[in-house]
Amino acid sequence: MAHSFEILVMTPAALGDPTLAVAAQRAGHLGILNAELPLPEGLLEAGLDTLARMTDGGYGLRIDDPDAALALAGRHGARGLGCIVLGAPCALANPETVAAIRAAGVAVLIETTRWDDRLAGPLAAQGVILKGHEAGGMVGEATSFILLQQAMTAGAERIIVRGGVGLHSAGALRAGGAGGVVLDDQCLMLRESALAERLAQTLGRMTGAETALIEGADGLRWRGVERPGQGSAAALRSNVARAGSDGQADVARAAFGWDLAAGQIAPMGQAAAFAPDLAQRHASLGRLARAIQDHSAAAVARAARGDVLGEGQGVAAPHGTRWPIVQGPMTRVSDTSGFAQSVAEGGGLPMIALALMRPAQADTLLAEVAGKLAGKPWGVGLLGFAPSALIKAQVEVALKHGPGFALIAGGRPDQAVALEADGIPSYLHVPSPRLLSMFLEQGARRFVFEGRECGGHVGPMSSMVLWDSMVRTLLDEVTDPKQAEGLSVLFAGGIHDARSAAMVAALAAPLADLGIKVGVLMGTAYLFTEEAVSGGGIVPTFQKMLLDCRETVTLETGTGHASRAALSPFAEEFAERRRTLEAQGVGAEDMREALEDLTLGRLRIASKATERKGDDLKKVGVARQKQEGMYMIG
Ligand SMILES: Cc1cc2nc3c(=O)[nH]c(=O)nc-3n(C[C@H](O)[C@H](O)[C@H](O)COP(=O)(O)O)c2cc1C
């Protein structure tokens, strides 16, 4: 099998131990000594010396200090230092240093946490590493999945992805156009890892959702793992908020390290959760790298056959739709019959969002939908955490109008099983692999795996990490083809076009081969359609705001309560208020209440240009709509 897919290996940040980089070089891959966080005195030079002594040269160094980088290129270039990886802010601000390092015969790769079109130009011609939101240490808002799509659209050369890389997600990234991946956290339990023993217990329990995210000003974020109960991440959040733009990076860098018992935060990303399984299956770095190359090549070839998500494939047959595509229920958007009709005519399965809709209103709406769709399949979206009396009343109303399917956000298996008994096949969102095992055991059969890239309410795990974990869990647990045939799974979060769907096809191919029905669920993509406006889902200003939007952010009111929305005046107001509350040391519960109050009614202002005044809905003007609306998108 041809191996044009590169594997780069970075040593753990803030450690200075070069063993993994040595192993990578010896296995024919690029090993990189990682000095993105300060290393204890002398370890950087010592690490480079070890690499010079123990390998044939060509190894790399990740560093952010331009002067030190140039000096090291001069001193170590001739001894075997083959490339330097600079952070994008450092490289973009010092193009002459980049040129000087190259003139010294050392290649320069640029690592970025945020896409910038200049990275498709000559400065980054030797390669770009896209460091996703799910990675450890300093990160941005965009995940590996999103960054890759941005880089491919811009036409960048030699794109390497760091963050969220597992055996299955590597196939997706390769299908999406990545030229290679960085392994870092995934290697922590391999036999070459100096931290394997120290981290065995922590990593053994991890799913990826445990990593803490610390959000600073100016879009800077840090991710890591703290010892539970230490409060290190909470303390760092307050310190970062107090330090503000100028001091936050130094404050954050100083908090990272591998002594968790002493309150340090380990610079690990979500893919650290893959480490124990990968170590058990592959043991050494050479074997893991080989497995990723082989598996990803096979996944791309398999997806290229076009029958994983093709017309009539996967969930299309059980849904009775042309495509294995479901339009995700969207509160205050997918609540009109006109929009549902367009989705159905386009070959997808429309889902009416019942959310907290009163039963009488739901009755009128669903009667209209059933009439307009005239036999075409459609479904309803319920909120599993809504008051049970309301859900019961909504289901009673829905049953009158015969939806073919239901999707329960935040739902439990017993809710799905009850709906199925009423004749409505029902999907459940499953946010973690452990819950998936439990849900399977409790009789649920239809699942949505939605990554953090999605619009609306988001979970902690990125699509690459969540999807990889879920595919692995299903392959481990579902061995009987009969059981497989009864299962349907929808992938969601950041899917919107041919490339993103091809990535899902590569990742989901092993499930399709097992007989599991697969499909995709999309929300945001539908918001960009003419029919979302003409069908009354959203007003024109909402769509205009989305078309102008260059970045999305998550608005987090409290742990487990975050929504993704366009960066807008309201999103900025929200972030500012949150930072103020954090700097004041306000307790979690009070903070959640204050921030939830702030978001109340803001989606309706954005999507419908109305607001509730007592029992009435009043029109909101365009200026206020732009200023005060919350534009939920992924
Ligand atoms: C404006 C908006 C409102 C949403 N409301 C709901 C909802 O009420 N229930 C639900 O299950 N999902 C809701 N979602 C999530 C979508 O159903 C879907 O899962 C998500 O949009 C998929 O990710 P994508 O946006 O990257 O395509 C909402 C999404 C958006 C953008």
Side-chain angles (χ1 to χ4, degrees), residues 145-146 326-334 351-356 381-383 385 407-410 429 448 450-457 463 491-496 521-527 538 542 564 603 607 630-634:
F145 187 32
I146 300 300
V326 179
Q327 165 253 306
M330 289 179 276
T331 302
R332 307 234 179 279
V333 173
S334 67
M351 287 280 181
I352 305 294
L354 293 185
L356 300 176
L382 302 165
L383 300 182
F385 46 84
L407 187 155
I408 318 172
H429 277 268
V448 180
E450 179 169 85
R452 189 172 171 82
E453 289 83 342
C454 68
H457 181 263
S463 289
F491 292 85
I495 303 161
H496 63 105
L521 176 110
M522 303 189 294
T524 300
Y526 280 102
L527 298 174
I538 51 176
F542 188 107
R564 184 171 297 285
L603 175 59
S607 68
M630 175 156 101
Y631 294 85
M632 273 195 188
I633 51 163

Side-chain angles (χ1 to χ4, degrees), residues 207 413 428-449 466-478 483 487-491 511 516:
T207 63
L428 284 173
H429 277 268
V430 198
S432 90
R434 234 167 263 152
L435 275 181
L436 176 59
S437 306
M438 229 164 79
F439 281 18
L440 276 167
E441 221 177 273
Q442 294 174 18
R445 292 291 169 259
R446 281 166 251 272
F447 307 108
V448 180
F449 305 147
L466 182 70
W467 296 350
D468 188 290
S469 315
M470 295 313 213
V471 168
R472 183 159 35 93
T473 304
L474 286 171
L475 292 177
D476 283 348
E477 300 206 359
V478 181
Q483 186 194 3
L487 300 180
S488 297
V489 303
L490 300 175
F491 292 85
L511 300 185
I516 295 176

Side-chain angles (χ1 to χ4, degrees), residues 312-405:
Q313 303 290 333
V315 295
H319 287 178
T321 53
R322 181 172 172 201
W323 302 102
I325 295 176
V326 179
Q327 165 253 306
M330 289 179 276
T331 302
R332 307 234 179 279
V333 173
S334 67
D335 55 2
T336 71
S337 57
F339 179 48
Q341 187 181 9
S342 300
V343 172
E345 282 168 0
L349 179 68
M351 287 280 181
I352 305 294
L354 293 185
L356 300 176
M357 197 182 285
R358 293 167 199 173
Q361 195 189 344
D363 196 13
T364 313
L365 171 62
L366 298 185
E368 227 178 273
V369 170
K372 263 205 185 138
L373 266 68
K376 277 205 159 65
W378 57 280
V380 290
L382 302 165
L383 300 182
F385 46 84
S388 58
L390 176 66
I391 303 180
K392 189 161 171 276
Q394 287 177 335
V395 169
E396 269 166 26
V397 164
L399 282 170
K400 269 172 51 187
H401 303 289
F405 300 88

Side-chain angles (χ1 to χ4, degrees), residues 72-210:
L72 287 163
R75 279 207 302 282
H76 288 268
R79 298 183 61 203
L81 179 64
C83 85
I84 287 186
V85 182
L86 289 176
C90 168
L92 290 167
N94 299 282
E96 66 298 332
T97 308
V98 173
I101 294 172
R102 285 180 179 151
V106 175
V108 177
L109 305 189
I110 301 181
E111 180 174 87
T112 191
T113 58
R114 184 182 207 160
W115 183 250
D116 181 316
D117 277 341
R118 287 174 290 175
L119 298 173
L123 193 69
Q126 289 179 312
V128 190
I129 297 178
L130 306 172
K131 187 182 186 191
H133 177 75
E134 57 272 77
M138 196 173 90
V139 296
E141 182 56 34
T143 61
S144 295
F145 187 32
I146 300 300
L147 283 172
L148 176 61
Q149 296 183 58
Q150 290 172 322
M152 291 303 296
T153 305
E157 301 274 335
R158 194 184 177 200
I159 300 168
I160 313 289
V161 178
R162 179 181 179 196
V165 176
L167 200 62
H168 303 286
S169 58
L173 294 165
R174 190 168 184 172
V181 290
V182 172
L183 300 182
D184 50 6
D185 312 321
Q186 304 82 344
C187 305
L188 286 168
M189 293 301 292
L190 295 176
R191 67 171 177 231
E192 296 92 345
S193 166
L195 294 167
E197 215 176 285
R198 199 187 309 176
L199 293 176
Q201 220 185 6
T202 305
L203 294 177
R205 291 192 293 263
M206 255 181 92
T207 63
E210 311 75 357

